Amino acid sequence: MKRLLALVLSAAMFFSLAAGCTPADQTDDGQTSPTADAGGEGGYTIATNNFGVGAYPLDMMVANEQSAADATGMTLTVTNNEFTADKVITQLQNQLAASPDGVAFLGISETLFPVAAQYCKNAKTPYVFYACSPTDEDMEKIEQDEYYVGMVIYSPKNEGSRLAELALADGCKTAVISAGASGDYAHDRRIIGFTETFEAGGGEILFVSHSADPSEAVQKTNDYMTAYGDTDCIYATGEDYITPAADVIKSRGITDCKIYGSNISPSVCQLIMDGQVEACTGGEFVCGSLAVTLLINYLDGNPIKDADGTAPYFDNLTQFMVTAENAEDFYEFLSDENLATHTISDEEYQNLLVRNNPDVDYDYFYDFLTNYEENVYAKVEANAAQ
């Protein structure tokens, strides 16, 4: 973990100590995880990476990719990067040596994207990015690569902004932010989004706490609550910082400090049900599975292009929000592994392929991502009504 921080300052990206919905047999050397039979027409092998098995949001990303692969008859090979930056690239090299049909790459730090892109280009292997994005400068170069297929991400900045709006609406005037290490793609942008919106609404950010890794979260929370014990709220930018905040607040007998967070999990749903957390966002875990469908379309000879004829940069995935009003329903939904990995159904994955649905194009994808939040609410409500 320390090694990762020294290399890319990107530790704590989506870390969680909660149990995850992880596809079986994720390995260090790119072994195949169990899938449906991919021997039929267009049954491709797609290589992907899990930055660290055991982190709930990361495990959920790969589990959703597995669901997309199963639904469409693909084979998914998965490496476990073990939270180590250099393994992201070395294991990608190993996967490319096995000649997959395509790569779905999760770059936990901006610095990894151009390196991964170059290796895929050298191997003449089509690739997609998801969840995180390169710098604008690197993106301009990558978009010129014929093997680059597209991108599916969400906006952690907008995510932080939404939670700030909620905190302001709840009457909060002061806030402390609890986050992972500075340099983390998602955490940094969540901080920016929350800070800009909260301050624009008249609020004040008293302190931003960074933990080198989740093991520091409890001590860091105690430190900032000692210094800023009268803060109106805490924004925890990842699941690993929500639970320590709730535990410390409870142990200190503080009853007037609200907690908002990112990266929903069943355990956070329980905290919301218990009244210890106000709200938490989720849904970023489908970025990879949607990127996989872009890759399949490309391999089928049906590449999705934007209006300019270039590989699409989809950044409009809408995240859902869990509050006291729906926390019980989301707890039931996310606690069921099959349901949790099917906020997008098998039929919906199949209908994102031109081979099954001639209406699929850039606009179809864009609308699907825009409507994701509302579609999840509908599925969760339908499950609760059974």
Side-chain angles (χ1 to χ4, degrees):
M1 197 70 203
K2 301 283 187 185
R3 184 181 186 188
L4 168 63
L5 292 170
L7 286 168
V8 296
L9 295 177
S10 63
M13 168 69 177
F14 301 144
F15 285 6
S16 174
L17 299 178
C21 304
T22 312
D25 297 336
Q26 292 183 28
T27 70
D28 293 343
D29 53 1
Q31 295 299 308
T32 302
S33 56
T35 65
D37 180 14
E41 181 180 355
Y44 307 114
T45 296
I46 297 172
T48 192
N49 61 303
N50 184 337
F51 186 61
V53 172
Y56 180 84
L58 293 171
D59 289 346
M60 280 288 285
M61 282 191 179
V62 176
N64 277 272
E65 287 181 82
Q66 188 71 66
S67 292
D70 290 343
T72 56
M74 305 299 131
T75 296
L76 194 70
T77 67
V78 187
T79 54
N80 174 14
N81 303 146
E82 297 180 327
F83 308 111
T84 306
D86 59 354
K87 284 192 175 184
V88 175
I89 299 301
T90 58
Q91 290 176 352
L92 172 62
Q93 291 176 275
N94 292 337
Q95 288 178 302
L96 288 170
S99 300
D101 295 296
V103 169
F105 181 77
L106 173 64
I108 215 72
S109 166
E110 292 175 337
T111 61
L112 296 174
F113 289 99
V115 180
Q118 187 62 53
Y119 277 117
C120 289
K121 181 179 180 179
N122 292 347
K124 298 182 179 180
T125 303
Y127 60 96
V128 289
F129 295 145
Y130 67 91
C132 306
S133 175
T135 64
D136 291 343
E137 181 180 359
D138 286 333
M139 194 69 248
E140 289 179 4
K141 298 175 183 177
I142 291 170
E143 284 178 336
Q144 305 305 312
D145 182 6
E146 62 179 310
Y147 294 101
Y148 169 67
V149 175
M151 171 100 61
V152 178
I153 62 174
Y154 68 108
S155 174
K157 182 178 178 181
N158 289 346
E159 179 183 13
S161 179
R162 284 181 69 186
L163 289 162
E165 290 174 352
L166 188 55
L168 289 167
D170 287 343
C172 298
K173 300 296 184 183
T174 56
V176 170
I177 300 176
S178 180
S182 180
D184 181 283
Y185 179 92
H187 288 238
D188 285 358
R189 286 157 178 78
R190 288 167 179 158
I191 292 169
I192 292 170
F194 187 92
T195 300
E196 289 181 352
T197 299
F198 196 70
E199 291 181 343
E204 179 185 2
I205 304 298
L206 300 177
F207 184 67
V208 178
S209 173
H210 289 284
S211 296
D213 62 66
S215 67
E216 296 183 358
V218 172
Q219 183 58 54
K220 293 280 188 175
T221 304
N222 272 306
D223 290 346
Y224 67 67
M225 287 309 297
T226 297
Y228 305 100
D230 59 350
T231 184
D232 293 331
C233 69
I234 298 168
Y235 172 40
T237 62
E239 198 272 351
D240 284 310
Y241 305 97
I242 299 172
T243 301
D247 289 345
V248 170
I249 293 299
K250 183 176 181 180
S251 68
R252 288 175 173 241
I254 299 172
T255 58
D256 55 355
C257 178
K258 302 180 184 299
I259 299 173
Y260 305 88
S262 295
N263 291 145
I264 194 63
S265 69
S267 61
V268 175
C269 287
Q270 185 63 60
L271 289 173
I272 296 173
M273 292 161 60
D274 293 342
Q276 292 182 262
V277 173
E278 302 299 314
C280 186
T281 49
E284 65 284 340
F285 46 65
V286 298
C287 289
S289 61
L290 291 167
V292 164
T293 62
L294 282 181
L295 194 54
I296 296 169
N297 278 311
Y298 176 93
L299 294 168
D300 278 349
N302 302 311
I304 304 302
K305 300 288 188 178
D306 64 18
D308 296 324
T310 59
Y313 186 102
F314 290 113
D315 61 357
N316 62 306
L317 179 74
T318 53
Q319 294 175 276
F320 54 81
M321 181 84 73
V322 181
T323 66
E325 294 181 357
N326 59 15
E328 184 174 356
D329 292 346
F330 266 98
Y331 177 82
E332 293 179 1
F333 194 91
L334 295 176
S335 295
D336 184 316
E337 182 173 339
N338 184 58
L339 292 174
T341 58
H342 283 85
T343 56
I344 299 174
S345 70
D346 289 351
E347 183 179 3
E348 286 172 321
Y349 283 126
Q350 293 159 8
N351 284 335
L352 284 167
L353 304 184
V354 177
R355 65 164 78 163
N356 301 321
N357 180 5
D359 293 331
V360 174
D361 57 11
Y362 179 91
D363 291 336
Y364 189 97
F365 262 88
Y366 187 92
D367 291 344
F368 189 89
L369 269 65
T370 298
N371 295 328
Y372 173 72
E373 178 183 10
E374 293 303 322
N375 288 338
V376 172
Y377 292 141
K379 289 182 176 71
V380 171
E381 290 172 6
N383 180 68
Q386 292 180 357

